């Protein structure tokens, strides 16, 4: 395996979701300067789901006009669009226009839609492109996809996003007697560098992804999939026999197809099982739990929130790194890890529902358990994602297209479920980080 190809696969995968992930972590600095305020996350959720028009188009083209869509050209277009949109956000994210008498962040919302289209479409184009490389590089690609969430989080941490200090402030309780009391007030600290610089950083990351993609296509040292031999369930089939011997052996050694999906290695029930787990895992890890992360962590303190967010971002590429050395295809293990991750996710959701007064809120163990819960949740479900990707990679190019489509479907269902709970019915409530009193 080529070290250069591994590095390029990581950089290529890093461009898959770096723009939207970066936009989410930058929200605390963006929100105070735009008319939408904290309604912006709700608008972003809707825009991201509208952007699924991209993967729907690609999937339908593969289904009804196979071979007609130039996948490489589509990848060039979406990476270029992501680079330009991120760069323009650095100049125009504050610009507003009047719509029906109300000021709206037109440039921010439109450019965000383009970024969301880029990232959503990458799910059904980047993965199938990896069919051109050896199977080992697919796991490396998933490491890069995990880095697309880790890197913006680390940069935002250096930037100082969301750092809160509690300061004493005088509150006059009675005007006539001039009595006053002291209470703590949350004060957000200024960032170490501006939002504009952060958007230029995201644009640079997309440019790096573009360069990596060009090198994966044209650099002579990149290790391509060999033309002789094929991979079935992760094992390369060697062909050293004479044609006559092959004809005799085929009738004895060719396994019977269990379904029409891919190579036929899995039955219809197993294929449905794999795709249901894929949709469930991505719905939980991409939308459902991230939408309540602040509610589950902030009651334990600002440090617990930042530590859990950072460690969760680290856990994603770590799980992919582990999968590089321990690649498993066991459907039983896949289901077991999904149950474990879902159980931990249920605990996180329970604590978020109890916010601002979850269990063990007064002691140190509550925060420790919450950080560990986020690490285990992301670690297990990220490993499951890689398992599914490795299995479907063996089933062929079309299987990876459907893999990306189901990933987006799971995220869509998660968003449809969580949007009304969080934004409309206000099922979750957050307390004041400095003044919340719990029994």
């Amino acid at each position: 395996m080529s070290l250069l190809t591994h590095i390029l696969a990581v950089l290529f995968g890093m461009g898959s979701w770096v723009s939207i992930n970066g936009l989410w972590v930058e929200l605390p600095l963006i929100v105070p300067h735009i008319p939408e305020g904290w309604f912006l996350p709700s608008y972003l959720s809707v825009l991201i789901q509208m952007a699924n028009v991209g993967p729907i188009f690609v999937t339908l083209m593969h289904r009804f006009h196979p071979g007609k869509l130039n996948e490489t050209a589509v990848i060039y277009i979406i990476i270029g669009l992501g680079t330009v949109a991120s760069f323009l956000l650095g100049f125009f994210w504050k610009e507003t226009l009047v719509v029906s008498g109300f000021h709206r962040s037109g440039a921010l919302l439109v450019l965000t839609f383009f970024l969301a289209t880029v990232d959503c479409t990458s799910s059904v184009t980047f993965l199938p492109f990896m069919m051109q490389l050896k199977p080992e590089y697919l796991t490396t690609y998933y490491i890069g996809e995990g880095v697309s969430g880790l890197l913006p989080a680390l940069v935002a941490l250096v930037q100082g996003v969301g750092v809160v200090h509690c300061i004493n402030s005088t509150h006059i309780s009675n005007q006539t007697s001039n009595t006053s009391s002291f209470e703590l007030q949350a004060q957000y600290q200024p960032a170490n560098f501006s939002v504009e610089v952060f958007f230029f950083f995201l644009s640079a990351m997309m440019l790096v992804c573009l360069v990596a993609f060009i090198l994966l296509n044209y650099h002579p040292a990149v290790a391509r999939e060999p033309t002789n031999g094929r991979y079935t369930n992760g094992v390369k089939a060697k062909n050293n026999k004479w044609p006559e011997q092959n004809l005799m052996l085929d009738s004895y050694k060719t396994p019977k197809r269990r379904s029409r999906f891919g190579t036929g290695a899995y039955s219809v029930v197993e294929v449905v099982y794999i795709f249901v787990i894929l949709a469930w895992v991505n719905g939980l890890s991409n939308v459902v739990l991230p939408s309540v992360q602040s509610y589950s962590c902030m009651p334990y303190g600002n440090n617990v929130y930042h530590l859990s967010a950072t460690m969760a971002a680290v856990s994603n590429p770590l799980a992919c790194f582990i999968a590089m050395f321990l690649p498993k295809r066991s459907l039983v293990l896949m289901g077991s890890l999904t149950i474990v991750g879902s159980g931990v996710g249920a605990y996180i959701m329970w604590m978020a529902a109890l916010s601002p007064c979850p269990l063990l809120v007064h002691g140190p163990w509550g925060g420790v358990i919450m950080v560990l819960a986020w690490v285990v949740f992301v670690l297990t479900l990220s490993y499951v994602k890689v398992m599914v990707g490795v299995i479907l990679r063996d089933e062929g190019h079309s299987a990876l297209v459907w893999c990306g489509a189901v990933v987006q479907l799971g995220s869509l269902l998660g968003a449809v479920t969580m949007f009304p709970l969080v934004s409309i019915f206000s099922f979750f409530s957050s307390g004041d980080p400095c003044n919340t009193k719990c029994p």
Side-chain angles (χ1 to χ4, degrees), residues 282-295 305 374 377:
N282 280 278
L284 286 183
S285 60
N286 294 348
V287 180
V288 175
L289 269 299
S291 65
V292 298
Q293 185 170 28
S294 60
Y295 298 106
Y305 172 70
W374 272 101
F377 170 76

Side-chain angles (χ1 to χ4, degrees), residues 308-331:
S308 64
T310 304
M311 293 304 296
V314 171
S315 299
N316 191 328
L318 177 61
C320 302
F321 187 75
I322 294 172
M324 181 182 294
F325 298 99
L326 296 173
K328 301 294 182 182
R329 292 172 173 80
S330 169
L331 299 185

